[in-house]
Amino acid sequence: MNKILRTLLALVLGCLLMASAQAALDARVVKQLVDDDSDQKIEAIAALVKTGTPEAARLLQALSDDALYATDSRIWLKADDKVYDAVTGTEITPAPDDVDTVTINNRVRGTLDSALAGFKLFDPDPSARLAAAQSLQGDVGAVMIPALTLALQKETDSKVKPILEQLLAQANLKNPDVKARLAAVEGLTHSNSPNARGLLLTRLDPANEPDAAVREAAKASIASIDSRLAWTSALANVFSGLSLGSILLLAALGLAITYGVMGVINMAHGELLMVGAYSAYFVQGVFRNHFPGAQDWYLVAAVPVSFFAAAFVGMVMERTVIRWLYGRPLETLLATWGVSLVLIQGARTLFGAQNVEVSNPSWMSGGIELLPSLTLPWNRIVIIGFALSVLVLMWAIMQKTRLGLFVRAVTQNRPMAGCVGVPTSRVDTLAFGLGAGIAGLGGLALSQIANVGPDMGQGYIVDSFLVVVLGGVGQLAGAVWAALGLGIATKLLEGWAGAVIAKIIVLAIIIIFIQRRPQGLFAVKGRVMD
Amino acid sequence: MRTSYTERAVRILGPKGWSALAIFLAIMLILVPVLHLLVPPGSPLHLSDYAITLSGKILCYAMVAVAMDLIWGYAGILSLGHGLFFALGGYGFGMYLMRQIGLDGNYHSPLPDFMVFLDWKTLPWYWQGTDHLLWALVLTIAVPTVIAAIFGYFAFQSRIKGVYFSIITQALTYAAMLLFFRNETGFGGNNGFTDFKRIAGYSITAPETRVVLLGLTSLALAGTLVLGRWLVTSRYGRVLAATRDAESRVMFIGYNPLWYKLFIWTLSAALCGIAGALYVPQVGIINPSEMSPAASIEIAIWVAVGGRGTLIGAVIGAVAVSLAKSWFTVSFPQYWLFFLGFLFILVTLFLPEGLVGLYKRIVFRLKHKDTANTETVFTLEPETISPPVAASVVSTAPTAKPTLTGESAA
């Protein structure tokens, strides 16, 4: 089959060079094409490619689309909702009603696809040429060299050209001429595709590559590709670390208020993330049922819903449980753990124990392709931006608003703040609600990249506490640096040692770090003794 | 002036406490074996296999709770990672039990089944010698002890305490859980160890073996209680309580709290290891879920429910919560988490001294009404436990224990 394919592709070139247009096709060849025997069909395809006319292309396309019909008397095909005679190429009206589709097997289809791709390298539409070139990328043989050379000469499109160049180099790797092979190996040095690396690897084997110089050159090329791929994967790791860090930041910002500023150990913080994520799921359902047209914008509507849902749960918690436990951190820890169990079971009862599906809006799918091996997904970019804007907003609330002023005052000196008229208990409730609401926003962001399920929050509680502790209690800047550092370190270590080991290493580092600096990265300087 | 040893021994538990302990041991070592082995299965007095297993499991939990109470109630250190030491003890003994399977596994190989499954050819180095019972026993105690000692030394030396310490211990057990979930670690991955066949040559499912294991567990629990009482009523216990209440002052007086805290922390870990080793042969499985943060925090709630700072409270809490759990998970599985969650909330809000505190309050009310004697006022602070109070506390034991066996028989 491979042999036939090669001849065939060589013929593509031949026919194009001749470029002799014939309106009608050879009736014998067309008859052969509908023969029951696959070998006959493949021979006919080869013959048709040789003619190189648009009619031949149309005929092959029809065969590929299962739109070629044959009876004993005549053969006809359907294209663009019109019916043509297969031999003369003239339109038939009215359409015949006797239908007997010409079927093809996989072997014939493989040949047919290559033949069609060869035709399409010369298509006037650049995007069709691009698709054709990309479809050839997997397997390209030495027989394609003349066709590719010709196509490369004619090619003007900047997107198609590099692919064709690379295809040519790949094809040249199998060229019997040693010099051509050497040039091809050197040409592939600048490739970023893992595909090219695989091809070069085959050149290292003396059984495939008799020439030692080519083997050496291939080794050098692989090394250079590897170092570039390593760079891009490190970049990709840093990027996913940033996005993990921004999730941690959203989770930790809420904690930075409730724990850092108010001194409340809220073990239900992860469940507030869950509340936010389920709010996104709920809003998505509402949009699906009532505003299917605006489906893409459900996420925007979910922002306030997530915030207020989580803030409401947080304020209820503060009023009913946490209020009575101020100053008893270990008891708060146990009570809020109880709250978290109740919330998890509540979500299970309401939404079921299975994970629910929260989809990305269409404007968040896809990504920016920086390099062939490095794509930055939009959803992660949006999350990073979202985390930044929440951070700015929170800074503004804490520094510029009356509520922020009160929260800081109560933190610094509760009795004094009370004396000058700050309603301390209301400030506590509002501050707790703010922290919880930000956790809800974190859950909303999380719903876009992770599973949404009743116990999704459990995995983040340890991490977000570590961020707060690492950054230094009560320090927003510390939380930011700790979250980003933790995210990037985790992802880089994951690339090097695997997810579980990376997690263990990070935890070990943090444990050691806290031993050395119990006050965190950004300690408040002072001489406080408990 | 030194008190004589007999006097001290009596004072540790008080006459009531000692008799309660004797009754408990008599039930566990004589009555239970008779009811299980000699009474025919049809009789209403017969104790089922399930009851024996459940009691054994709960007594192990009670031991863990006492170990937890020693550090939380008396040293003020809330560990959220005690499940780790429990599981390490369990894994240590589980290794021995896995080796005892011998050639009877599914693959009939001298290696444990999961290693055959992973295509390992030889035992990893840390499995060497685990076919000897004695070495396995050394491991179950030594591994938790060494890990706790190293971790505790660094943590207490940098004076990490309170919530920080809790969160670091939680991270520690979480990291260990991730490690043990991996197949490459060599401890059976997420399936852990199970399918045990025999222990010291005896079949592990034989009724006699179960009864002996239950008896050993009861002895271990009794020993833990006596040791705990002895420690907390000693001079050492007083320094420890002082460290809990005002560490800086203790330091200024001239004590180094590091050693006091480190000792009780390490001892607590070792006790957990022993409890884990007793737990595994009775329950028949050990897997990394024992190391999950949730499992460790449940230990804290046992202690909180029973009453912090009273050792018997820890036992009562562990028994009560575990019984509730086994009843709920069978009858209303979907409400167990609600129940546990509200238990956490309500106990911390309304019963800061736990069930023992409630009992003491009721007793105090009654006495107060009868005698109107304001002199016998005692505070609810657990650290001020004086011998008479301790005796009254321990006297709740007989009422607690028969309920355990009675309930499990039902």
Side-chain angles (χ1 to χ4, degrees), chain A residues 265 267 329-331 334-335 337-338 341-342 345 348 465 469 473 500-501 503-504 507 514-515 518 529-530, chain B residues 72 78 154-155 158 161 163-164 167-168 170 175 178-179 182 248 294 297 308 334 337-338 341 344-345 348:
Chain A
I265 308 295
M267 295 301 269
L330 294 179
E331 274 89 344
L334 287 180
W337 180 269
L341 292 182
V342 171
Q345 192 59 36
R348 233 174 246 159
F465 264 112
V469 171
V473 175
V500 174
I501 296 287
K503 186 105 198 160
I504 293 168
L507 287 175
I514 294 177
Q515 311 256 344
M529 187 88 205
D530 54 315
Chain B
W72 188 24
L78 174 57
F154 286 110
S158 18
K161 51 190 165 187
V163 179
Y164 281 83
I167 288 171
I168 297 185
Q170 191 179 34
L178 292 179
L179 190 70
R182 285 168 57 92
S248 308
I297 209 164
R308 267 191 301 149
Q334 66 275 34
L337 275 189
F338 279 133
F344 270 87
I345 300 169
T348 42

Side-chain angles (χ1 to χ4, degrees), chain B residues 103-122:
Chain B
L103 299 175
D104 294 344
N106 289 331
Y107 296 104
H108 306 292
S109 153
L111 292 182
D113 276 357
F114 69 88
M115 290 192 191
V116 180
F117 192 71
L118 289 174
D119 203 23
W120 288 9
K121 299 294 176 220
T122 51

Side-chain angles (χ1 to χ4, degrees), chain A residues 182 185 203-204 209 211-222:
Chain A
L182 201 56
V185 165
R203 291 292 103 190
L204 289 179
E209 179 53 70
D211 193 85
V214 179
R215 286 203 296 270
E216 277 306 306
K219 211 179 265 174
S221 293
I222 288 174

